[in-house]
Amino acid sequence: AQSVTQLGSHVSVSEGALVLLRCNYSSSVPPYLFWYVQYPNQGLQLLLKYTSAATLVKGINGFEAEFKKSETSFHLTKPSAHMSDAAEYFCAVSDGYSTLTFGKGTMLLVSP
Amino acid sequence: KAGVTQTPRYLIKTRGQQVTLSCSPISGHRSVSWYQQTPGQGLQFLFEYFSETQRNKGNFPGRFSGRQFSNSRSEMNVSTLELGDSALYLCASTLGPTQNTEAFFGQGTRLTVV
C-alpha cells in the first residue's frame, strides 16, 4: 500500500522568502510522485511530477522538487515566495496507474 | 481544448435523498477517476472508470456508485445521503489507466447535505 505524509498542515513565509513544503512517501514499487496546488473553490492543478527520468524536477510557477530515494522524500521548494503562491499544496503518489494517493495537504500562507 | 467539466458546481440535498454528479473528461481522455475531499479526511479515492468498466474502487460504502458512458463521460451517484457525505467531489481525467500522464481535475461539485 502506498502512503504520503506531508509535514505541517500550515506553513507561513514572508514574500520573497524560501518556500519549503515537505513530503515523505511510502511505496512498495518505484513511485511516481506529484505535487498539486489548489486555490479556494477550485480543482487541483499539477505543479510537477517525478517519473524516474531525473531526480530534480522543475515545475510551473518557479517550483521544483527533488526526489531522494534514500530519504523517501519529495520536498517542494521555491526560492522566492510570491503572494499569489498562497494556496493549499498536495503531494501525491501513484504506482504507475491513474489512481493517486494524496497527503493531507499543506496550506501555504504568504505575508507581505 | 476544453478542460474537465463537472456539473453542477453546487448542490444542497437533504439526508436520505440521492444525488447524481456528472463529469465530462477532456476530449480524447478515456479514464475518469473520482475523489472525495473533506476537511477531516482530505482527498480520498472513490473509483476509476476506463472504457465503461470500473477498474478500481476505494474504501467507500456501496451507497457510492458510478458509471461511465461510451463517450467517456462519467456519473457518480450517492444514495441515502448522510450528513457526512458533505464534501467537494472532484473528477479527474487521464488518457488511460496505464499511462502515467498528468491527471487533469475539474473544479469539483460542492455537495452539502442538510
Side-chain angles (χ1 to χ4, degrees):
Chain A
Q2 304 166 100
S3 66
V4 173
T5 302
Q6 291 184 240
L7 294 174
S9 58
H10 291 79
V11 169
S12 296
V13 300
S14 299
E15 194 172 20
L18 171 72
V19 175
L20 171 60
L21 304 182
R22 299 178 187 273
C23 171
N24 288 89
Y25 70 91
S26 172
S27 177
S28 57
V29 299
Y32 292 90
L33 295 160
F34 306 81
W35 274 100
Y36 281 86
V37 62
Q38 186 178 36
Y39 297 98
N41 296 316
Q42 298 292 318
L44 301 174
Q45 180 184 13
L46 181 70
L47 281 176
L48 48 81
K49 64 180 179 182
Y50 167 76
T51 56
S52 77
T55 56
L56 183 62
V57 182
K58 293 188 183 299
I60 62 171
N61 301 338
F63 285 93
E64 62 181 37
E66 185 172 10
F67 173 70
K68 292 187 177 180
K69 185 178 178 180
S70 61
E71 299 176 8
T72 61
S73 70
F74 190 57
H75 301 331
L76 182 71
T77 60
K78 181 174 181 177
S80 176
H82 192 274
M83 296 295 290
S84 61
D85 294 327
E88 191 160 21
Y89 292 79
F90 293 91
C91 182
V93 63
S94 90
D95 57 4
Y97 295 88
S98 353
T99 302
L100 296 168
T101 300
F102 287 91
K104 293 289 188 183
T106 298
M107 185 68 72
L108 176 65
L109 307 169
V110 182
S111 56
Chain B
K1 193 174 185 181
V4 179
T5 303
Q6 291 188 247
T7 57
R9 286 293 310 278
Y10 302 92
L11 266 179
I12 299 176
K13 290 287 187 178
T14 304
R15 271 182 302 175
Q17 287 186 313
Q18 76 164 20
V19 68
T20 299
L21 312 181
S22 179
C23 172
S24 293
I26 290 171
S27 177
H29 285 199
R30 300 171 62 196
S31 179
V32 172
S33 298
W34 289 88
Y35 294 84
Q36 182 197 63
Q37 185 177 22
T38 60
Q41 299 299 316
L43 280 152
Q44 294 186 285
F45 170 73
L46 280 156
F47 26 64
E48 178 196 0
Y49 286 88
F50 173 70
S51 291
E52 303 177 64
T53 302
Q54 187 181 90
R55 286 194 69 253
N56 202 0
K57 190 177 192 302
N59 189 25
F60 278 82
R63 299 186 296 108
F64 291 81
S65 63
R67 58 178 176 169
Q68 186 180 35
F69 302 94
S70 58
N71 62 357
S72 295
R73 189 177 71 85
S74 177
E75 289 181 347
M76 68 163 282
N77 184 275
V78 188
S79 62
T80 320
L81 284 166
E82 301 176 359
L83 294 179
D85 297 333
S86 295
L88 180 67
Y89 290 88
L90 291 166
C91 167
S93 78
T94 55
L95 282 169
T98 59
Q99 297 181 29
N100 190 41
T101 56
E102 176 180 354
F104 291 82
F105 284 81
Q107 291 191 300
T109 294
R110 172 77 62 186
L111 172 64
T112 302
V113 182
V114 298

